[in-house]
Amino acid sequence: MACFADTPPCDSALFCSGPLLHAFQLSGLFNDSKTFVDAPLLPGVTPADVLGVFDALSPSQKANASVLHAIYLAHYDEPGSDLEAWLPPDWQPHPPLVAAVAARSPSYGAWAADLNALWHTLGRKVVADVEDRPDAHSLLYVPNGFVVPGGRFREWYNWDTFWILRGLLECGLTKTVAGMLENFGTMVETFGFVPNGGRRYYIDRSQPPLFALMVAEYYDATHDLGLVSTLFPLIAKEYGWWMTERVVTTSSGEMLNIYRPKVGMPRPEGYVEDLQHAQGMGPVDAACLYAQIAAGAETGWDFSTRWFATGSDISSICVSSLAPVDLNAFLFQTETTLARLATVLGRSSDAAKYAAAANRRAQAFDAFFWNEAAGQYVDYNVSAASQVQPPHSDFYVASMIPIWAGLASGNASRSAQIRDALQGLGVLDFAAGIPTSLATSGQQWDMPNAWAPMQFFSIYALEALGEASLATQLAKTWLASNYAAYNSTGLMWEKYNVLKFGKPGGGGEYTVATGFGWTNGVPPHSDFYVASMIPIWAGLASGNASRSAQIRDALQGLGVLDFAAGIPTSLATSGQQWDMPNAWAPMQFFSIYALEALGEASLATQLAKTWLASNYAAYNSTGLMWEKYNVLKFGKPGGGGEYTVATGFGWTNGVALALLRDYFT
Ligand SMILES: OC[C@H]1O[C@H](O[C@H]2O[C@H](CO)[C@@H](O)[C@H](O)[C@H]2O)[C@H](O)[C@@H](O)[C@@H]1O
């Protein structure tokens, strides 16, 4: 197994490795390891400034959370403040798809209209400061606006973008798609590949390669040969990267692809978790483990028993010795697509070269990945020179991906065998979609989670098998479950529970996110309006423990309790005063006592203290109490709307006095 001791994910002493990162991540100041590494430096602050202040601390100060918190407040801006809300310029309120769906089902038509409004909520652009001061940000600069997944995933993601682009194209946003493809082109120019996501802490690894397929989707929707001919050398370059940096040669001489980032340190965005996984290990074993954890993230399946040698023990993760069935199917599709685009562009020798590569890979699929006894395509263990005997689950949904890629097409007996195997395993019989695996491990890429991209592959795989009615049934079940969850929560979710119709999934390192790019939908403008706290303050959820926990999880998933200066009015940046980034005193009041009513006293205390501290900082620097405050900028007044922000200020003072009584006496 490859190990790369002392190799950091990137060369930043703020965002990727080093004593400062270590101290802050272990300080307990952040609920999620990703928060700290998403915070840029304030304007005027340089990496040398903050590193200098940190280096001058004594060892005990470096371990003191209050000291670190003060340094954080003085030097760092809000996580995500270097991304601005961006409305795609080609967005249209009534795309033809919505009318077509509405004609068959008015309720799904209304839902599709809401999904089209996704692009309002999830559109982002990188602010100019990221280009001007790249070392002050973990965000990577890209020139064009893009669409993010949502929740804690504030930046673009590599393979998520394939489904986001599909949705954008369905809604007619071809210019936006062109811009996002150009962004990826700049990534390949810089790094040789598209990284995992738009942060420098992701540049040590990629994700399942779908860039060529994204370009093909765009070409099929627009026939814009100009952009395709610009991007062709870049998708070819990225394919070359996979064929040199992520390849092994088997003892019989075939080249198979693997996931293998060259890193030997914890993931900055999963720092605390990775240190915990390596607890008790010596430095060499720990470095090997970090490489395998990063490889797990590169698979997009982070994490799953699919990669574990023992049970559900993540410390036994061993990814790089496997040639994953889905990665090799994606590269088969990449080769096929490169051949097709080369033909369209009149590059006949390239077309022949990539068609030959696809042909070789199709043969390798039969030799290495097809398991006759199981009636499935399975991962191949290159180190052991044998197919993986599923240690934990008789089924991983990755086995559907070669079928989607067309590798079983035209083979009637194999198609029937696969269908029988799927029916025998019962994986098409679940209440809410096809499961990720049959192993219940607590990891997010296992039972009971069902992910949108895996439904997509499975539905089109069933079509490719000639099983149209099974495909339709799975599509309908999935949509019905998404719709039920949307109706009851007003949200689209990152993943769903395959056992519980209409319920979100869970497990893994972070609270299930909402948004959500690849699931394709959100409510019209904002995932959250603070008015939703008022029924809770009024006691309408009191005494209902499961609903209270669900509300808390939703608030945490949305990240609305993580802002620098209180709870925001909404997540929509509209320029109106009752929207982001404004925080109003009465809404803090309702929210704080709503959290108490949920039984979340420590969250309530934290919000009360944050709000009072921000009021107090503003008072200290301006001598004034303000009508509203900026939730992104600690100690600063708010703005927007029809008039200049007022001072005085009646209800701000009343709320402050009430909170001082309840939380400071
Ligand atoms: O912070 C933990 C991990 O989060 C990401 O992985 C998950 O979300 C991605 C965005 O939707 C998705 O592409 C991936 O398949 C999910 O497992 C991130 O990509 C990981 O690198 C990161 O360690």
Side-chain angles (χ1 to χ4, degrees), residues 5-173:
D6 299 331
T7 308
C10 81
D11 64 5
S12 167
L14 291 183
F15 300 112
C16 283
S17 65
L20 179 144
L21 178 76
H22 186 80
F24 272 94
Q25 291 291 38
L26 294 194
S27 67
L29 288 172
F30 307 98
N31 288 336
D32 182 335
S33 296
K34 192 169 181 299
T35 307
F36 177 63
V37 285
D38 286 3
L41 296 183
L42 282 167
V45 176
T46 66
D49 293 338
V50 64
L51 287 165
V53 170
F54 177 79
D55 287 344
L57 299 177
S58 67
S60 69
Q61 286 173 316
K62 286 179 178 167
N64 181 321
S66 311
V67 172
L68 294 178
H69 193 218
I71 294 177
Y72 181 71
L73 292 179
H75 295 85
Y76 287 85
D77 214 335
E78 197 51 35
S81 55
D82 39 9
L83 286 157
E84 59 193 18
W86 176 75
L87 175 62
D90 48 351
W91 184 81
Q92 36 181 295
H94 305 294
L97 174 76
V98 171
V101 174
R104 292 190 62 184
S105 160
S107 49
Y108 273 19
W111 183 35
D114 286 359
L115 300 188
N116 179 47
L118 161 78
W119 320 125
H120 278 238
T121 311
L122 298 178
R124 297 284 183 279
K125 198 158 193 316
V126 175
V127 301
D129 192 53
V130 177
E131 191 178 20
D132 299 342
R133 296 192 309 146
D135 293 346
H137 302 261
S138 64
L139 203 62
L140 296 173
Y141 178 75
V142 285
N144 303 313
F146 50 86
V147 170
V148 302
R152 74 196 279 275
F153 302 113
R154 306 173 174 94
E155 51 287 310
W156 57 260
Y157 281 78
N158 181 342
W159 75 322
D160 297 53
T161 300
F162 174 72
W163 292 276
I164 290 170
L165 292 192
R166 293 273 311 215
L168 289 166
L169 290 172
E170 297 298 351
C171 296
L173 281 79

Side-chain angles (χ1 to χ4, degrees), residues 233-256:
L234 294 168
I235 55 180
K237 178 175 175 181
E238 196 200 33
Y239 170 73
W241 180 86
W242 282 96
M243 296 310 292
T244 48
E245 297 296 317
R246 297 290 188 270
V247 79
V248 285
T249 306
T250 66
S251 50
S252 47
E254 283 84 357
M255 289 169 91
L256 300 178

Side-chain angles (χ1 to χ4, degrees), residues 34 149 152-153 157 159-160 196 202 205 207 267 269 297 300-302 444-445 451 494 509-510 516 518:
K34 192 169 181 299
R152 74 196 279 275
F153 302 113
Y157 281 78
W159 75 322
D160 297 53
N196 181 146
Y202 282 146
R205 59 179 187 261
Q207 261 194 335
R267 288 167 305 149
E269 83 289 2
W301 283 49
D302 43 331
Q444 59 170 358
W445 285 88
W451 294 81
E494 176 200 30
E509 293 181 342
Y510 54 86
F516 196 89
W518 66 19

